[in-house]
Amino acid sequence: DAGITQSPRYKITETGRQVTLMCHQTWSHSYMFWYRQDLGHGLRLIYYSAAADITDKGEVSDGYVVSRSKTENFPLTLESATRSQTSVYFCASSDRGPNNSPLHFGNGTRLTVT
Amino acid sequence: AQRVTQPEKLLSVFKGAPVELKCNYSYSGSPELFWYVQYSRQRLQLLLRHISRESIKGFTADLNKGETSFHLKKPFAQEEDSAMYYCALSGNQFYFGTGTSLTVIP
C-alpha cells in the first residue's frame, strides 16, 4: 500500500556530505521508525518516535539525527556521511506501537556513500 | 540484553517438504514475538505474532519460553513462500533478527 513513502529511492553521496532521507505517512500513525538493513546484521533500529516532537535513539543512532515536527513526517539526516553508512534504509510506522499493531514499511532508500 | 538469533542465513527446501525457520531470543521480561516477511520486490510486512496464535498462509509459530524459541513452521512448502523472513522481538525496543532467506525449489 502507498500509505508510507520514502524518498529518494536511490542516493549516491560523498563522504562528509549531509544527506536527508524523507519519510511520509498518510495514516496519522503515532509511531514511526528508521531501520538500516545490512548483510549479516538484519534490520537495526536507528531512531524511533512515539509521537510528534518525541524521538528516541535506537541501537545504531550515532551519526544520525531525526526530527518529528509533524506526525506524518519523520526525516532522517546523516550529518556527515561515512562509508559505513552505506546501507538500505527503511522507514516504518505503527498505529498503537509495534506490540499492538503491525509495522508498515516503506519501500526503502538505497544509500551509497563514496 | 535483548537479542534475536536466526542461525540460518539461507535455507532451501523442496516444494511440498516441511520447512522450519529457527528463531531464538534472549530477553529478561515477557517478550512479544513476531515474524515479518519480505517477498521479492515487495515491502516488509507482518506475517504473524505469537499472541494471536493464528496460522497465516499455512505458517504457524509457537512461543517456547523454556527453550526461548519462536520457530516458524509450515508442513508443506510452496514456491510462493520463497522470501526473506525476519523474527522480531518487542521488549523495551523492537528488535529484528538477521533474517533467513528461504528458497523453495520446484
Side-chain angles (χ1 to χ4, degrees):
Chain A
D1 49 29
I4 183 165
T5 54
Q6 292 183 235
S7 61
R9 288 296 308 275
Y10 303 92
K11 176 74 177 177
I12 300 174
T13 191
E14 294 177 343
T15 301
R17 291 194 181 263
Q18 183 179 80
V19 178
T20 296
L21 310 183
M22 305 302 293
C23 180
H24 175 78
Q25 52 108 351
T26 60
W27 295 306
S28 299
H29 284 172
S30 294
Y31 291 79
M32 295 189 76
F33 306 80
W34 273 106
Y35 289 89
R36 58 178 290 175
Q37 183 183 44
D38 302 288
L39 275 176
H41 292 280
L43 287 159
R44 291 182 292 175
L45 181 65
I46 305 171
Y47 267 98
Y48 65 102
S49 169
D53 295 323
I54 299 174
T55 61
D56 283 293
K57 294 181 178 181
E59 60 179 313
V60 290
S61 61
D62 287 348
Y64 301 95
V65 174
V66 293
S67 61
R68 186 105 182 265
S69 57
K70 292 184 178 181
T71 299
E72 61 266 29
N73 295 323
F74 192 40
L76 175 73
T77 297
L78 287 67
E79 297 178 294
S80 178
T82 64
R83 287 189 179 148
S84 64
Q85 292 177 310
T86 292
S87 185
V88 180
Y89 291 85
F90 286 99
C91 179
S93 72
S94 174
D95 182 20
R96 292 172 285 122
N99 274 8
N100 301 307
S101 58
L103 292 172
H104 296 268
F105 283 85
N107 273 329
T109 294
R110 185 174 294 274
L111 176 68
T112 302
V113 183
T114 62
Chain B
Q2 289 182 214
R3 179 168 288 184
V4 179
T5 304
Q6 293 180 251
E8 304 138 329
K9 286 187 169 51
L10 302 170
L11 183 63
S12 296
V13 299
F14 285 101
K15 179 182 174 181
V19 61
E20 179 179 69
L21 291 86
K22 291 185 168 50
C23 173
N24 290 91
Y25 68 90
S26 62
Y27 184 64
S28 56
S30 294
E32 300 269 351
L33 275 297
F34 307 79
W35 277 98
Y36 277 77
V37 60
Q38 188 174 25
Y39 300 103
S40 179
R41 299 190 182 86
Q42 293 188 28
R43 299 168 189 236
L44 199 66
Q45 58 188 287
L46 177 67
L47 180 62
L48 56 78
R49 47 190 295 199
H50 91 269
I51 199 168
S52 59
R53 302 183 68 82
E54 57 192 344
S55 173
I56 304 293
K57 299 184 179 184
F59 284 98
T60 59
D62 290 319
L63 180 62
N64 186 322
K65 291 187 178 181
E67 295 182 359
T68 59
S69 68
F70 188 57
H71 302 327
L72 184 68
K73 300 177 183 179
K74 185 170 182 177
F76 307 104
Q78 302 299 313
E79 290 178 64
E80 55 265 30
D81 296 329
S82 294
M84 191 74 174
Y85 291 82
Y86 289 96
C87 182
L89 176 152
S90 183
N92 56 338
Q93 287 190 2
F94 199 82
Y95 289 93
F96 285 88
T98 51
T100 297
S101 177
L102 174 66
T103 300
V104 180
I105 304 165

